Amino acid sequence: MSEASLVANWDDVVSRLCEIGREFYSRGWVYGTSGNFSARISVDPLRLAITSSGLDKGALSPGHILEIDSAACVLRGIGRPSAETSLHLVLVQQAAAGAVLHTHSIWSTLLSDRWAAQGGLVLEGYEMLKGLAGIVTHEHREWVPIIENSQDYAALSAALSSVLADYPNCHGVLLRKHGLYTWGCDLAEARRHVEILEFLFEAEARRQLANQP
Ligand SMILES: [Zn+2]
């Protein structure tokens, strides 16, 4: 692999993914082996560092991170990639994500069901929206598409690809009663997007609950 195609150092990315696992577990976003994380190591050929399947994200170590190619074949590490790897590849290839983070929080799970029939959820008027890349004012209306959950990952990938085509400016997508996919140009931006969106999901869900008759 030429130096020019490398976009991130393997050891740095692996250690960052492990840190993110510990932090996200402690914040209640990836309980019980849920969630998965990836970061692009090189663009051409495409190489991703991704968490191996079925692990406690609060106890990740460097050996739990796999290197995969664009066909999800494992090139480095022992284990198999998550069943949701195809969704990571869609986001890296279609949304040009440098990193993809997937979480299963309580608030995103509740909202993704509440608004599923509408196909998405609006987050509007919150100062914290400015933490999303490219957003400079609270007077922003963020549409978070919601897609039906499935164990058919080829179908889920096609559904994700379709909503990305329809909403190319979105910063995250919810899977119904499942969780959040968000991404960024790198791990730092993707991590910030998780933090911002999870804050906004909790704020919005609590607001809706408080306004219920
Ligand atoms: Zn999941």
Side-chain angles (χ1 to χ4, degrees):
M1 192 181 298
S2 74
E3 282 296 314
S5 71
L6 286 170
V7 293
N9 174 276
W10 174 262
D11 290 338
D12 291 347
V13 165
V14 164
S15 109
R16 213 40 213 111
L17 288 170
C18 295
E19 271 175 38
I20 283 172
R22 286 189 289 277
E23 182 200 0
F24 283 17
Y25 185 85
S26 74
R27 298 182 78 170
W29 298 336
V30 289
Y31 283 152
T33 79
S34 68
N36 39 66
F37 317 134
S38 69
R40 198 174 49 192
I41 300 297
S42 83
V43 175
D44 185 18
L46 181 63
R47 298 285 186 262
L48 293 189
I50 190 163
T51 45
S52 183
S53 180
L55 297 171
D56 176 345
K57 302 305 178 299
L60 285 178
S61 63
H64 295 141
I65 310 297
L66 307 174
E67 181 177 348
I68 61 166
D69 65 13
S70 59
C73 293
V74 177
L75 306 176
R76 182 184 338 203
I78 298 166
R80 62 186 171 80
S82 157
E84 295 180 46
T85 297
S86 56
L87 303 181
H88 288 249
L89 286 166
V90 166
L91 288 162
V92 168
Q93 291 171 318
Q94 193 171 333
V100 177
L101 298 174
H102 170 50
T103 50
H104 288 204
S105 73
I106 291 171
W107 296 110
S108 68
T109 300
L110 291 172
L111 282 179
S112 66
D113 188 37
R114 166 67 182 81
W115 294 101
Q118 286 72 23
L121 161 75
V122 173
L123 299 170
E124 189 171 25
Y126 293 103
E127 180 69 12
M128 283 289 263
L129 287 163
K130 289 163 58 185
L132 301 175
I135 306 305
V136 296
T137 170
H138 65 285
E139 294 175 344
H140 169 72
R141 182 181 173 87
E142 179 76 15
W143 178 253
V144 184
I146 299 169
I147 58 184
E148 199 60 45
N149 194 30
S150 172
Q151 302 306 314
D152 176 346
Y153 292 99
L156 263 188
S157 298
L160 177 60
S161 178
S162 174
V163 297
L164 289 173
D166 289 344
Y167 305 102
N169 297 321
C170 72
H171 294 82
V173 174
L174 290 167
L175 305 186
R176 185 178 189 179
K177 288 189 172 180
H178 178 161
L180 168 69
Y181 269 87
T182 187
W183 55 91
C185 63
D186 56 20
L187 272 171
E189 186 172 276
R191 185 211 155 275
R192 191 180 81 235
H193 285 169
V194 171
E195 188 164 52
I196 293 288
L197 288 169
E198 292 292 358
F199 175 97
L200 291 169
F201 293 150
E202 181 168 353
E204 183 60 19
R206 287 182 183 275
R207 186 190 68 78
Q208 291 177 17
L209 282 169
N211 290 343
Q212 276 184 356

